[in-house]
Amino acid sequence: MKDVYLGMPSFPEAARTATKDERLRANLTRATHTIRDKRAKAVTEIEDWAELVEAGKAIKDHTLRHLDEYLLQLEAKVTEAGGQVHWARDAAEANRIVAGLVKAADGGGDQIREVVKVKSMATQEIGLNEALAAEGVAAYETDLAELIVQLGDDLPSHILVPAIHRNRTEIRDIFRANMARYGRPAPEGLTDAPADLAEAARLHLREKFLRAKVAVSGANFMIAETGTLVVLESEGNGRMCLTLPETLISVVGIEKVIPSFRDLEVFLQLLPRSSTAERMNPYTTMWTGTAAGDGPRTFHLVLLDNGRTDTLADTVGRQALRCIRCSACLNVCPVYERAGGHAYGSAYPGPIGAILSPQLRGTASEIDASLPYASSLCGACFEACPVAIDIPEVLVHLRARVADAEPGHRAERAAMQAATYAMTHPAAYRAAEAAAIKARRLLPPDRKLPLGPAKAWTETRDLPELPKQTFRQWWKENHR
Amino acid sequence: MPKIALFVTCVNDVAFPSTGIAAVRVLERLGVEVDFPEAQTCCGQMQYNTGYPAEAKPLAEKFAGDFRGYDAVVVPSGSCGAFVRDVHPRLLGADDPPPVYELTEYLVDVLGAQDVGAYFPHRVAYHPTCHSSRLLKLGDRPTRLLRRVAGLELVELPGAQECCGFGGTFSVKNPDVSAAMGADKVAHAVESGAEYLIAADNSCLMHIGGTARRSEAPIKTLHLAEVLASTADSPYGASA
Ligand code: SF4
């Protein structure tokens, strides 16, 4: 994945800083609670929501089981409709392909120096903007929140609302300071009223839409049966990018394919209600290859693996590939709410990021090895997920993978083994119990302890004083 | 007379025996014969959830052996109850485990009890811990029992569905986030105006209570079983 995420501190370290940032906490709590409540309402409106979730899950599982067939069918159909399909094993290959396509695109005599972008997770995942910049091509984000992130030299912190960590005063300051650097400057005397901010973005982006020769997008769904790609969005910027430029390049993860047009019926209900809490999103754009006299004249589809095939090989972990990137799990997650999106060190924050990043990237880095533990296993994510991904189950599964692989977990394994030994050997168990009760403490007497897990507990919490006798002793004396 | 085996859990055995004692009192008061298989220790949830399934398996096997042959097992812990019921069968493959009930499930579903004859003259709020609500799906069983307790006033807990931040080893692996969640839970409990915060899991209560004591917040924590065990003749706190 992206270079900017390499060498990220572990999750607990990054989260420590975030929990102390009061403005961030306030921004996140306000935003996540609002959308959380709206989603809950939008979902209860549909009587057969549980059946829809089952259907979404079943369609995705079926497709993943036959992914090879559906991808080949998709390739054939896209090619038939006038598009060109490219296969990218990893991020570097995908970036190389896109850069090559941009340079080879027809700039009407001029060399292409810029592209407009539709909000896309796959291109964030592979760090496409940075890769294009290295080739002398500027990639302009056109989604409002992505624009805020880009203008602020920032990183996205949410799947749906990448600038969720910013409030409107911060956004006004970013527009005022940086819009000029990227094109049309912010209007004089810009206020932080939402309508003014939206208008400033509209004016800034319009000249880019009108000038662009090449657009880059992702896709929410790809339909194998027809070769159709589908993008759902709210602002209309996507529609502009997908229709105005001469060349369209879409970078899409291989797990986004679904078998037939009919299957969309399920996902067009699940996705908007789960993500923006809307009954229907304002803009749904679908295209099949190219069409004479309408829309882009050249269409390229770059199919991205980048760790997905490895993920598919894991029978427990593969359910993460069902994800439709709605972000409901982020919005209900108490850990995300307090740690913020950046602490997850990837384009995919929150619960889905905690199970996806360590699978796509492996668990060798500090951040990836810490992500499976970034959860209290409260299960709010599983409850909200529209394709029933059992995120706690995958987290626990990945913890075992980390514990098995990392030499750093030797001490912990020894402690777990010791506990299991004591718990399966009655004499050892009674001795440990008796020692604890005699001292009337679980730990030595200091209120705050200096080391390890004990310190981590007593820094903010008291431990209970132990009672005079265990339940077992009481039972013996009073009951038997 | 119905007969059950009590799985008290390792945390309750050592740190909260009063909860185990309370569970015995309530069940016996309702005419249940309680046995305590003394070989029992721990369900292995900590090992399993921290990523050590191989270390959890011997405990699941031991549990199966210790409770074999009983008609029903009752556990005064939502989290351990869910673990034994959901994960043990997966760890052990096909076995024939006895039915496992969390205490309020046994009281409401099996005994059909709502009014257990309890008396607890205090204002309380109920925290539905994550595993008791999302894994066991206890629903309104605990509050149905609480509403019938004489003298008790049940007040609403703001943000009740939110996790308290305990999460087993999460509490020490991610101490800052855990503490931030705990502080919010304590703030909500105080805001509710309750004197006691009640839950069906002592491990969560240990975290919430420890946070409250450190910050000297005006809220006490107590396991649901102890509220239900309290009677007019022998009210909570009167004797050990
Ligand atoms: S894991 Fe589920 S809830 Fe989270 S973003 Fe993906 S589909 Fe949405």
Side-chain angles (χ1 to χ4, degrees):
Chain A
M1 247 186 238
K2 214 163 173 174
D3 288 353
V4 291
Y5 294 119
L6 286 182
M8 277 283 297
S10 69
F11 183 85
E13 250 175 88
R16 168 167 314 142
T17 323
T19 51
K20 300 201 161 57
D21 183 339
E22 303 224 336
R23 177 153 75 170
L24 175 68
R25 278 286 301 279
N27 291 354
L28 278 174
T29 300
R30 187 174 344 96
T32 55
H33 283 247
T34 310
I35 184 82
R36 184 187 297 186
D37 297 345
K38 280 199 206 156
R39 185 205 71 92
K41 243 198 357 261
V43 162
T44 44
E45 272 183 4
I46 296 204
E47 266 171 39
D48 60 350
W49 184 257
E51 282 87 349
L52 269 176
V53 169
E54 264 316 299
K57 175 184 176 208
I59 294 167
K60 284 281 183 179
D61 279 345
H62 166 85
T63 318
L64 290 169
R65 232 177 356 256
H66 304 282
L67 194 57
D68 51 345
E69 293 161 41
Y70 286 119
L71 285 172
L72 290 176
Q73 189 187 5
L74 175 78
E75 180 184 36
K77 289 293 170 184
V78 170
T79 312
E80 218 171 89
Q84 293 171 51
V85 178
H86 312 260
W87 301 80
R89 192 165 287 121
D90 55 21
E93 191 174 7
N95 286 332
R96 225 168 22 241
I97 293 170
V98 176
L101 292 172
V102 171
K103 284 184 176 164
D106 180 13
D110 293 333
Q111 210 192 322
I112 301 287
R113 291 264 168 230
E114 60 180 47
V115 301
V116 284
K117 280 190 71 200
V118 186
K119 178 171 162 23
S120 126
M121 295 308 298
T123 61
Q124 290 285 1
E125 173 189 325
I126 62 175
L128 179 67
N129 293 7
E130 291 76 6
L132 286 178
E135 301 276 343
V137 176
Y140 295 120
E141 295 291 348
T142 65
D143 170 82
L144 177 57
E146 289 286 4
L147 175 71
I148 295 163
V149 168
Q150 184 170 49
L151 293 177
D153 282 328
D154 202 353
L155 287 170
S157 70
H158 189 276
I159 291 177
L160 179 77
V161 201
I164 196 167
H165 56 291
R166 300 287 194 193
N167 62 29
R168 53 196 169 94
T169 318
E170 293 174 273
I171 295 168
R172 179 203 59 197
D173 295 344
I174 290 169
F175 278 11
R176 276 189 187 163
N178 295 337
M179 263 187 172
R181 202 148 47 88
Y182 286 84
R184 182 174 171 142
E188 279 296 314
L190 177 66
T191 74
D192 65 0
D196 285 358
L197 294 173
E199 181 62 10
R202 203 175 281 127
L203 294 170
H204 179 82
L205 289 171
R206 181 130 317 161
E207 60 175 33
K208 295 198 160 48
F209 289 132
L210 295 175
R211 206 168 59 207
K213 296 266 191 282
V214 178
V216 175
S217 85
N220 296 100
F221 305 100
M222 306 187 284
I223 301 166
E225 175 190 51
T226 56
T228 306
L229 270 74
V230 186
V231 163
L232 279 68
E233 45 128 2
S234 298
E235 296 167 13
N237 65 300
R239 177 69 57 83
M240 301 278 241
C241 293
L242 294 166
T243 52
L244 290 176
E246 317 261 299
T247 300
L248 172 61
I249 305 168
S250 301
V251 182
V252 189
I254 51 174
E255 83 285 18
K256 296 282 157 221
V257 67
I258 53 173
S260 68
F261 212 88
R262 210 179 54 174
D263 299 321
L264 264 190
E265 182 243 344
V266 172
F267 295 107
L268 291 186
Q269 294 184 75
L270 288 176
L271 183 49
R273 286 180 194 260
S274 300
S275 68
T276 50
E278 290 166 305
R279 291 175 180 147
M280 190 72 221
N281 51 294
Y283 296 89
T284 302
T285 305
M286 306 190 196
W287 69 99
T288 308
T290 54
D294 188 17
R297 281 180 304 189
T298 313
F299 169 55
H300 295 278
L301 172 59
V302 181
L303 291 171
L304 177 71
D305 187 323
N306 207 30
R308 286 159 175 79
T309 305
D310 293 340
T311 306
L312 191 58
D314 184 318
T315 51
V316 178
R318 67 167 60 134
Q319 55 185 308
L321 296 178
R322 291 205 295 260
C323 175
I324 56 173
R325 312 279 189 261
C326 72
S327 71
C329 59
L330 280 64
N331 297 329
V332 298
C333 178
V335 176
Y336 173 85
E337 181 187 336
R338 288 159 182 94
H342 293 152
Y344 293 81
S346 106
Y348 303 108
I352 181 61
I355 62 167
L356 198 55
S357 306
Q359 296 202 82
L360 295 181
R361 304 192 295 205
T363 53
S365 75
E366 220 188 320
I367 178 72
D368 290 319
S370 70
L371 284 174
Y373 303 91
S375 165
S376 63
L377 305 179
C378 81
C381 48
F382 180 27
E383 194 175 56
C385 179
V387 285
I389 300 173
D390 190 340
I391 294 177
E393 181 190 21
V394 181
L395 286 166
V396 169
H397 172 72
L398 293 174
R399 289 174 185 186
R401 189 192 286 183
V402 172
D404 281 346
E406 298 293 305
H409 285 243
R410 256 186 225 137
E412 184 175 271
R413 180 175 296 281
M416 293 292 169
Q417 281 167 343
T420 299
Y421 180 87
M423 297 291 188
T424 47
H425 292 77
Y429 180 71
R430 278 196 303 271
E433 234 186 26
I437 290 292
K438 198 159 168 232
R440 308 263 331 252
R441 310 176 189 283
L442 287 169
L443 290 166
D446 281 330
R447 208 176 183 215
K448 292 192 185 184
L449 290 158
L451 281 170
K455 173 178 193 285
W457 181 278
T458 55
E459 198 88 59
T460 54
R461 294 155 284 210
D462 284 356
L463 273 169
E465 194 176 82
L466 291 189
K468 289 193 209 71
Q469 58 175 190
T470 62
F471 176 81
R472 197 176 300 273
Q473 288 164 340
W474 174 84
W475 179 268
K476 254 190 211 146
E477 283 171 26
N478 299 280
H479 220 278
R480 243 186 356 197
Chain B
M1 175 145 105
K3 192 174 165 187
I4 64 104
L6 179 72
F7 173 45
V8 78
T9 81
C10 59
V11 168
N12 285 333
D13 183 17
V14 181
F16 302 96
S18 54
T19 295
I21 297 166
V24 173
R25 293 216 167 116
V26 178
L27 288 164
E28 289 184 342
R29 197 163 75 219
L30 296 171
V32 178
E33 190 184 330
V34 180
D35 194 6
F36 177 72
E38 285 183 53
Q40 66 175 272
T41 53
C42 159
C43 66
Q45 177 171 206
M46 176 184 73
Q47 284 88 337
Y48 186 85
N49 280 352
T50 311
Y52 300 90
E55 281 68 27
K57 197 172 168 198
L59 292 168
E61 281 162 358
K62 179 168 165 36
F63 181 93
D66 294 343
F67 288 91
R68 184 158 293 131
Y70 284 97
D71 295 342
V73 179
V74 175
V75 195
S77 159
S79 192
C80 304
F83 187 77
V84 169
R85 201 153 75 192
D86 295 351
V87 182
H88 277 193
R90 265 192 270 152
L91 278 171
L92 298 176
D95 196 348
D96 195 15
V100 174
Y101 300 95
E102 186 275 335
L103 178 65
T104 66
E105 287 176 322
Y106 189 77
L107 296 176
V108 174
D109 299 355
V110 179
L111 300 182
Q114 306 266 339
D115 185 343
V116 297
Y119 169 74
F120 191 79
H122 301 279
R123 178 183 288 186
V124 310
Y126 174 72
H127 169 50
T129 61
C130 302
H131 289 180
S132 56
S133 71
R134 296 200 183 92
L135 294 181
L136 283 182
K137 309 207 183 304
L138 289 188
D140 66 350
R141 290 180 187 83
T143 47
R144 259 149 69 193
L145 292 163
L146 283 172
R147 281 182 211 289
R148 299 294 185 87
V149 172
L152 182 145
E153 184 193 349
L154 183 64
V155 295
E156 195 163 330
L157 178 68
Q161 295 302 328
E162 281 176 47
C163 176
C164 71
F166 171 64
T169 48
F170 172 79
S171 60
V172 290
K173 282 182 182 278
N174 276 285
D176 297 279
V177 178
S178 172
M181 290 162 69
D184 288 348
K185 183 57 73 183
V186 168
H188 282 145
V190 171
E191 198 185 313
S192 76
E195 197 182 330
Y196 287 94
L197 184 68
I198 308 298
D201 268 296
N202 271 330
S203 38
C204 302
L205 289 178
M206 181 170 76
H207 164 75
I208 301 168
T211 304
R213 272 197 302 282
R214 177 62 58 84
S215 60
E216 292 172 5
I219 183 81
K220 290 174 275 190
T221 52
L222 189 65
H223 194 282
L224 179 63
E226 302 189 44
V227 176
L228 300 181
S230 170
T231 58
D233 291 342
S234 171
Y236 170 76
S239 68

